[in-house]
């Protein structure tokens, strides 16, 4: 059972359905509608993940391609070795709707709407989940994908450690009578901005408010927006109606553990941070793909429960790194003289190819490397498999098409792997990895369902790898 039908919960449900698992979603909203402004796009690795499942073109067809990533400073992605070397601007509501069409309609995953988790009790065989307003469900495992205020995380008593907010931002979309001051406006309180929507009579405003960090559970109103605009611009530009007004902060928190027995966390339930850099939704989608195949193997009985421990072991460091990156970007965005000097130095450094390529890969999720092999393992081990254009049985094929069914793939480039699972492939080009550059071509690779390389080598597939699959090792 998945608590939460946002991008993370939907992606996880899709992975579990592909893995042959009976899965259901409980979602507090009664429709796939997002209130206010949430995430605004997909990064390169998330696009690769969707490509691995054969659905990426649905998203690309509706989004806007931007060949840059951002670490507060724009980073050119055009020379990044990925088929999707760009950020795709697409509103979260549409991302959710496209995922829901795939998961709920095509994969036939049931969703129970207008339901919310109130608590749970677990034993050694499953989890009894109490629903708000009455009723209960039972599942073998429960995954909390229910956001930063996760009821699942709280009921599991998992500590949410980290940093309190140092600043906050009021964000809104509204109709205006007068033309606003478009663009960014830095001042002593921070960096503010107003962007044009539709015909120019609607705007999206982001106002930094260092001394207005929280509003509790109070719903913000158009009066809050007017006051914020006047404080920065001296006018409210004749705001008439706000379609929504909300607030975000730079608080950064992470669950100390992603698992408590049969209960797991993913997405914002496991980590929250400032939205600068566009990391949040993408981090959650990639959590789901890491967890999905492992949970499916455990539920099917193909691997022991211990395999699930590898989910936190791999994804917690990735989440921690994102938190550090967003904290750093908050520091770079400050408007005092010292921070401006830091921004100038960093901007100069990011014009150099090596730092730019490294941080472009990092902010795009393309440089993630899980600890899967010995120190002398091939450099591709633990990293995402590049989407090579290979030849199989005389026909051209892309590697990511081989991953559509969310099953492991063994590619043999030299004919030296004596294993019935091996797919003979030919590839004559260079192997180029983000941030690393060109690496020697491995004779064979074993690719996990999440697209990361578990093993690279030559000769017969090592017996230890098969044994690893039986005992639940994440290498398969």
């Amino acid at each position: 059972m998945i608590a939460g039908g946002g991008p993370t919960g939907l992606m996880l449900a899709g992975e579990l359905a592909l893995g042959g698992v009976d899965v259901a979603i409980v979602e507090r909203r009664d429709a796939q509608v997002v209130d206010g402004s949430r995430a605004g796009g997909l990064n390169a690795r998330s696009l690769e993940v969707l490509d691995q499942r054969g659905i990426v073109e649905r998203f690309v067809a509706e989004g806007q391609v931007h060949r840059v990533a951002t670490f507060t400073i724009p980073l050119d992605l055009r020379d990044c070795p990925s088929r999707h070397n760009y950020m795709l601007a697409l509103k979260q509501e549409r991302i959710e709707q496209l995922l829901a069409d795939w998961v709920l309609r095509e994969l036939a995953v049931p969703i129970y709407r207008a339901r919310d988790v109130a608590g749970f009790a677990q034993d050694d065989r499953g989890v009894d989940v109490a629903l708000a307003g009455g009723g209960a469900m039972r599942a073998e495992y429960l995954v909390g994908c229910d956001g930063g205020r996760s009821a699942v995380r709280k009921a599991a008593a998992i500590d949410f450690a980290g940093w309190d907010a140092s600043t906050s931002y009021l964000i809104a979309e509204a109709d205006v009578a007068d033309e606003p001051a478009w663009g960014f406006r830095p001042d002593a309180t921070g960096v503010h901005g107003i962007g044009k929507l539709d015909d120019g009579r609607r705007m999206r405003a982001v106002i930094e408010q260092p001394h207005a960090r929280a509003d509790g559970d109070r719903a913000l109103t158009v009066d809050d927006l007017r006051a914020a605009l006047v404080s920065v611009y001296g006018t409210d530009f004749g705001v008439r109606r706000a379609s929504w007004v909300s607030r975000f902060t730079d608080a950064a928190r992470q669950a100390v553990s992603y698992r408590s027995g049969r209960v797991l966390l993913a997405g914002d339930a496991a980590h929250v941070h400032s939205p600068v850099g566009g990391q949040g939704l993408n981090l959650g989608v990639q959590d789901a793909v890491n967890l999905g195949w492992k949970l499916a193997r455990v539920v099917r009985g193909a691997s022991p429960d211990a395999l699930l421990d590898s989910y936190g072991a791999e994804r917690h460091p990735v989440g921690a790194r994102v938190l550090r990156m967003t904290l750093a970007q908050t520091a770079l965005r400050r408007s005092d003289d010292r921070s401006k000097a830091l921004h100038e130095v960093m901007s100069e450094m990011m014009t150099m190819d090596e730092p730019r390529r490294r941080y472009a890969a990092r902010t795009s999720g393309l440089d993630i490397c899980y600890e899967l092999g010995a120190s002398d393992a091939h450099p591709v081990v633990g990293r995402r498999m590049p989407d090579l254009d290979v030849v199989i049985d005389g026909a051209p094929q892309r590697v990511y098409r081989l991953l559509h069914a969310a099953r492991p793939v063994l590619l043999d480039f030299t004919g030296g792997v004596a294993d019935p699972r091996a797919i003979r492939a030919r590839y004559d080009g260079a192997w180029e990895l983000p941030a690393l550059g060109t690496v020697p071509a491995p004779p064979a690779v074993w690719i996990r369902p999440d697209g990361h390389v578990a093993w690279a080598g030559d000769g017969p597939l090592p017996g230890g790898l098969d044994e690893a699959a039986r005992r639940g090792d994440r290498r398969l």
Side-chain angles (χ1 to χ4, degrees), residues 435-465:
L436 285 188
T438 302
V439 299
V445 291
W446 181 264
I447 310 167
R448 304 189 326 184
D450 61 1
H452 283 256
V453 176
W455 167 84
D458 55 9
L461 191 68
L465 202 55

Side-chain angles (χ1 to χ4, degrees), residues 36-289:
S37 177
R38 301 293 180 89
L42 296 162
N43 69 18
R45 182 55 190 157
S46 292
L47 292 164
E48 289 188 342
V49 162
L50 296 171
D51 201 349
Q52 290 171 187
R53 299 301 178 254
I55 59 174
V56 71
E57 291 305 326
R58 307 178 189 190
F59 298 82
V60 175
E62 298 200 23
Q64 281 188 312
V65 169
H66 298 281
R67 300 282 177 184
V68 294
T70 180
F71 188 74
T72 300
I73 300 148
L75 304 172
D76 193 340
L77 283 171
R78 285 175 293 184
D79 59 353
C80 188
S82 168
R83 201 175 297 272
H84 302 286
N85 56 346
Y86 53 88
M87 293 287 292
L88 185 74
L90 187 61
K91 288 186 176 181
Q92 178 171 329
E93 182 169 278
R94 192 59 187 141
I95 292 171
E96 288 192 19
Q97 290 167 350
L98 291 170
L99 282 173
D101 188 59
W102 175 55
V103 173
L104 307 182
R105 185 178 65 83
E106 297 176 29
L107 299 179
V109 172
I111 186 167
Y112 300 90
R113 294 196 178 275
R115 308 279 186 90
D116 205 356
V117 172
F120 64 82
Q122 59 176 311
D123 54 41
D124 59 0
R125 300 187 64 181
V127 186
D128 291 303
V129 181
L131 302 178
M137 300 178 72
R138 183 168 173 83
E140 289 188 54
Y141 289 88
L142 169 65
V143 186
C145 302
D146 52 342
R149 298 180 180 179
S150 170
V152 173
R153 186 190 66 242
K154 292 174 182 175
I158 296 175
D159 190 22
F160 207 38
W163 295 265
D164 292 333
S166 68
T167 191
S168 71
Y169 303 83
L170 184 145
I171 181 168
E173 288 186 3
D175 298 331
V176 291
D178 305 322
E179 184 171 3
W182 305 117
F184 292 102
R185 173 172 291 192
D187 64 16
T189 63
V191 179
H192 321 285
I194 301 179
K196 186 180 295 187
L197 297 174
D198 303 332
D199 61 358
R201 289 300 179 184
R202 297 187 67 241
M203 69 172 185
R204 174 178 291 174
V206 181
I207 309 297
E208 187 167 356
Q209 297 179 301
H211 303 298
R213 298 177 187 173
D215 299 280
D217 294 325
R218 180 177 73 85
L220 298 179
T221 69
V222 69
D223 289 333
D224 293 299
L225 173 60
R226 289 191 180 105
L229 289 169
V230 169
S231 71
V232 173
Y233 296 94
T235 175
D236 63 9
F237 304 107
V239 168
R240 295 170 175 169
R241 184 184 65 87
S243 51
W244 52 263
V245 185
S246 63
R247 187 182 303 286
F248 65 86
T249 76
D250 67 339
R253 295 190 174 278
Q254 185 176 27
V256 296
S257 173
Y258 284 10
R259 182 185 186 195
S260 175
R262 288 178 171 268
V263 177
L264 299 108
L265 304 175
D268 289 353
H271 37 69
V272 295
H273 49 79
S274 166
V276 295
Q279 298 288 310
L281 182 151
N282 294 282
L283 187 60
V285 166
Q286 293 161 40
D287 284 347
V289 175

Side-chain angles (χ1 to χ4, degrees), residues 21-34:
V21 168
D22 179 18
V23 55
I25 301 171
V26 172
E27 166 57 39
R28 67 171 63 97
R29 295 171 294 170
D30 58 10
Q32 211 71 48
V33 177
V34 174

Side-chain angles (χ1 to χ4, degrees), residues 460-471:
L461 191 68
L465 202 55
D466 288 325
E467 173 58 29
R470 285 191 290 272
R471 70 173 182 263

